[in-house]
Amino acid sequence: MRQPRVEIEYCTQCRWLLRAAWTAQELLTTFSDELGEVALVPGTGAVFNVRLDEEMLWSRQEQGAHPDLADLKRLVRDRIAPGRSLGHTDRRSPPPPPADHEH
Amino acid sequence: MRQPRVEIEYCTQCRWLLRAAWTAQELLTTFSDELGEVALVPGTGAVFNVRLDEEMLWSRQEQGAHPDLADLKRLVRDRIAPGRSLGHTDRRSPPPPPADHEH
């Protein structure tokens, strides 16, 4: 069975190669048995897109920010290794509830 | 016209992800306009292969060593940007001639 491919398209003008390569190494370290490859794709125009096979997992233009690594790992895990624990990445406590305004 | 793809297959058991990612970043920095993508492909069994589209540019098993980066850049340049200078990479002096054995 062909293993999934991740594609990280990054903007060369914005010098995002280092961020893209760091993200690739993190995904390949966490999912070394599950991923077939991670491809780094040079682009322009402030692009930073992460695709899993044909699905767009994260688009900086749409989401308005770079992906948080733990969120990105959960997005990948939910598709290629559902149920698998990501250790501390999963235990990261959700953001605190909004402060109580009574006092 | 589709741009060329480089594939770096590396051994996860030998922990060669860092070397593979470093090589990918160097190639993407030097050939950011000419390459369509560089893919990192996890493998096993002491593999470290660099392919350009379908051609095997370097195989650690065949060549018996990891590729020297300057040599690898010249191999890629000769195929995707023939004639283009690689600056200091090209000016690296060739190895000295064997010592004269008469004296």
Side-chain angles (χ1 to χ4, degrees), chain B residues 11-96:
Chain B
C11 176
T12 57
Q13 299 159 318
C14 312
R15 298 184 188 284
W16 283 342
L17 169 58
L18 297 187
R19 175 185 291 267
W22 165 62
T23 305
Q25 290 173 81
E26 283 277 355
L27 293 178
L28 283 165
T29 300
T30 301
F31 302 107
S32 58
D33 296 333
E34 292 92 349
L35 286 175
E37 67 179 53
V38 176
L40 296 169
V41 179
T44 54
V47 66
F48 196 90
N49 293 334
V50 183
R51 292 185 186 81
L52 178 63
D53 290 330
E54 300 319 312
E55 181 187 3
M56 179 76 84
L57 282 194
W58 189 278
S59 160
R60 186 177 177 279
Q61 263 131 351
E62 279 164 35
Q63 265 99 345
H66 281 291
D68 169 81
L69 186 65
D71 294 342
L72 190 60
K73 284 186 178 182
R74 274 194 292 271
L75 287 169
V76 173
R77 184 270 315 273
D78 292 350
R79 286 156 180 80
I80 67 172
R84 193 186 126 189
S85 161
L86 291 180
H88 61 81
T89 302
D90 275 331
R91 276 193 301 276
R92 204 177 58 149
S93 53

Side-chain angles (χ1 to χ4, degrees), chain A residues 24-90:
Chain A
Q25 291 174 80
E26 282 278 355
L27 293 178
L28 284 165
T29 300
T30 300
F31 302 107
S32 58
D33 296 332
E34 291 94 347
L35 286 176
E37 66 180 54
V38 175
L40 296 169
V41 180
T44 55
V47 66
F48 197 90
N49 293 334
V50 183
R51 291 185 187 82
L52 178 63
D53 291 330
E54 298 320 312
E55 180 188 3
M56 179 77 84
L57 282 194
W58 189 278
S59 160
R60 185 175 178 281
Q61 262 130 354
E62 279 163 36
Q63 265 99 345
H66 281 293
D68 170 81
L69 186 66
D71 294 341
L72 191 60
K73 285 187 178 181
R74 274 192 295 271
L75 287 169
V76 173
R77 183 268 318 271
D78 292 348
R79 286 157 180 78
I80 67 172
R84 194 187 124 189
S85 161
L86 292 179
H88 60 82
T89 301
D90 274 334

